[in-house]
Amino acid sequence: MNNLQGKRILVTGASSGIGRAVAQQAASYGASLILLGRNKERLKATYDSLQGSGHEFYTIDITDYTRVDEIIRSSVATFGFIDGFVHSAGIEKTIPFNASTPNLFKEVFEVNVFAGFEIARLLSKKNIVNPSGASHVFISSVSAVSGEPGKIIYCSSKSALTTGIKALALELAIKKIRCNCVLPGCVDTDMVKKLFASIPIEAKQSIINKHPLGIGQPEDVAFLVCFLISDKAKWITGSEYIIDGGYSS
Amino acid sequence: MKKNEFVSQLSEFCEFENENFTLETLFKSINGYDSLAVMSIIAFVDENFKMSLTASQLNKITDFNSLVELIGKDKFEDE
């Protein structure tokens, strides 16, 4: 089991899917969560489902960095240092290349990449992060290392995230902040349900068929994330972990 | 957007080879109408009409006219 007793972890995209599962598992291992998400009702549902105490939740647009900074500073002043960050918020777009305009790239990169790195930057500051060390985990995608038609924007955003953390890991090692990426395959989340609704049935079946162990569950990914947050992963940084039911094999 | 402009702009966007399409042209008769074309139609409608169509909705369309009806005739200008 992953012991996260006493750790304070901020999770983006905590309203549903992998972010919610991470929050629930981390809480069951003893962590206190700071949940960020867009949908108040669903975020509250995540909050209500958490074991333990000391959790907080904030309904915000995570690209409102001024507000995110206020939340972080207020939380640290009240409850203490931050021990970890999980960037699970993400946008998926299935758009053919001929429609992939710069504005759509910006929209996806803003949440998938820029918000992840900016919140990591805010959390890594002196007097915010635990001086004894911390762990940042970014939810990337197996799409960072493999393509699908209509996925140039999504694939390139996840690839930027996955490569970026390697530089981040080197810079933050001096603060004992570890940075890693998890690259899930197709997981049964609202985002994937929306994706499946937007593509032809044969394309959906093709994606499913490429997962020898079937479509994953959010909890499958959450377990790996909680391990990477935990002190058991204290010698792991700058790494990416594919968890995809065999998709990329 | 007028309906005939819609036919022409969508055909160009999807890069369908023949350029003489009408509202009655059946999508399945178009050389190049494939799964990527379906994604392109979804993207085109989203961009121009701010509507998110699903693949299952598009499965039910036959010709350009039926796509116009799916989007809503009121979204188009009079010819």
Side-chain angles (χ1 to χ4, degrees):
Chain A
M1 294 291 257
N2 298 306
N3 184 1
L4 301 179
Q5 203 65 45
K7 290 193 183 295
R8 303 191 62 242
I9 314 294
L10 186 145
V11 181
T12 64
S15 305
S16 62
I18 293 170
R20 172 180 280 179
V22 166
Q24 289 169 333
Q25 275 195 30
S28 76
Y29 297 141
S32 299
L33 280 304
I34 304 160
L35 310 176
L36 305 185
R38 283 176 301 181
N39 185 302
K40 186 175 183 181
E41 195 176 311
R42 289 189 296 163
L43 192 62
K44 174 76 161 48
T46 303
Y47 173 81
D48 288 340
S49 72
L50 300 182
Q51 295 180 32
S53 59
H55 311 301
E56 306 161 70
F57 76 98
Y58 302 92
T59 311
I60 59 158
D61 170 0
I62 60 163
T63 66
D64 180 353
Y65 302 123
T66 303
R67 178 72 184 123
V68 172
D69 194 32
E70 286 170 0
I71 289 168
I72 291 168
R73 288 176 185 278
S74 165
S75 178
V76 169
T78 308
F79 297 104
F81 293 127
I82 305 291
D83 302 278
F85 168 45
V86 179
H87 182 50
S88 184
I91 295 178
E92 191 282 328
K93 273 198 185 298
T94 302
I95 305 280
F97 179 58
N98 62 354
S100 297
T101 58
N103 280 344
L104 292 174
F105 273 93
K106 284 176 193 165
E107 184 188 334
V108 172
F109 270 66
E110 187 65 56
V111 173
N112 294 7
V113 185
F114 305 155
F117 290 142
E118 175 58 8
I119 296 172
R121 190 181 73 84
L122 296 173
L123 288 171
S124 302
K125 289 181 177 174
K126 188 180 172 187
N127 299 327
I128 298 292
V129 70
N130 190 330
S132 301
S135 172
H136 297 339
V137 181
F138 299 80
I139 307 300
S140 179
S141 165
V142 73
S143 296
V145 292
S146 61
E148 288 281 350
K151 292 288 187 190
I152 181 169
I153 297 178
Y154 185 71
C155 288
S156 55
S157 75
K158 292 300 189 180
S159 189
L161 188 63
T162 305
T163 311
I165 67 102
K166 293 180 182 298
L168 197 60
L170 295 177
E171 284 204 33
L172 295 181
I174 197 165
K175 291 184 173 181
K176 297 176 189 158
I177 301 173
R178 297 180 294 103
C179 301
N180 294 285
C181 259
V182 170
L183 282 61
C186 215
V187 176
D188 186 13
T189 61
D190 291 345
M191 189 166 83
V192 167
K193 286 186 177 80
K194 190 178 164 196
L195 160 70
F196 281 168
S198 71
I199 60 177
I201 290 172
E202 55 270 30
K204 170 187 169 183
Q205 197 54 50
S206 167
I207 292 172
I208 293 171
N209 291 345
K210 288 179 185 171
H211 291 74
L213 294 181
I215 300 300
Q217 294 302 311
E219 296 74 24
D220 300 329
V221 180
F223 189 80
L224 177 56
V225 174
C226 287
F227 166 71
L228 289 170
I229 296 170
S230 80
D231 293 339
K232 286 183 180 174
K234 65 184 174 63
W235 204 46
I236 300 175
T237 195
S239 295
E240 72 243 31
Y241 290 89
I242 291 174
I243 175 165
D244 66 356
Y247 173 88
S248 57
S249 298
Chain B
M1 188 184 300
K2 293 175 181 173
K3 289 177 193 169
N4 59 350
E5 292 170 343
F6 173 69
V7 172
S8 147
Q9 289 183 23
L10 178 60
S11 304
E12 186 183 346
F13 185 77
C14 293
E15 296 182 346
F16 295 147
E17 288 177 14
N18 189 322
E19 292 179 358
N20 302 316
F21 299 117
T22 68
L23 283 163
E24 287 74 35
T25 302
L26 295 170
F27 284 109
K28 286 184 178 172
S29 71
I30 299 173
N31 187 16
Y33 184 72
D34 55 14
S35 57
L36 269 179
V38 171
M39 288 182 203
S40 294
I41 293 173
I42 291 173
F44 183 87
V45 173
D46 190 19
E47 176 70 23
N48 290 280
F49 298 93
K50 309 299 174 206
M51 273 183 78
S52 299
L53 298 179
T54 65
S56 60
Q57 280 178 304
L58 283 186
N59 270 344
K60 293 171 188 165
I61 64 166
T62 52
D63 55 12
F64 284 91
N65 247 332
S66 62
L67 181 56
V68 166
E69 283 175 18
L70 182 61
I71 294 166
K73 286 180 178 173
D74 57 315
K75 306 277 175 58
F76 294 86
E77 296 169 27
D78 293 332
E79 297 294 331

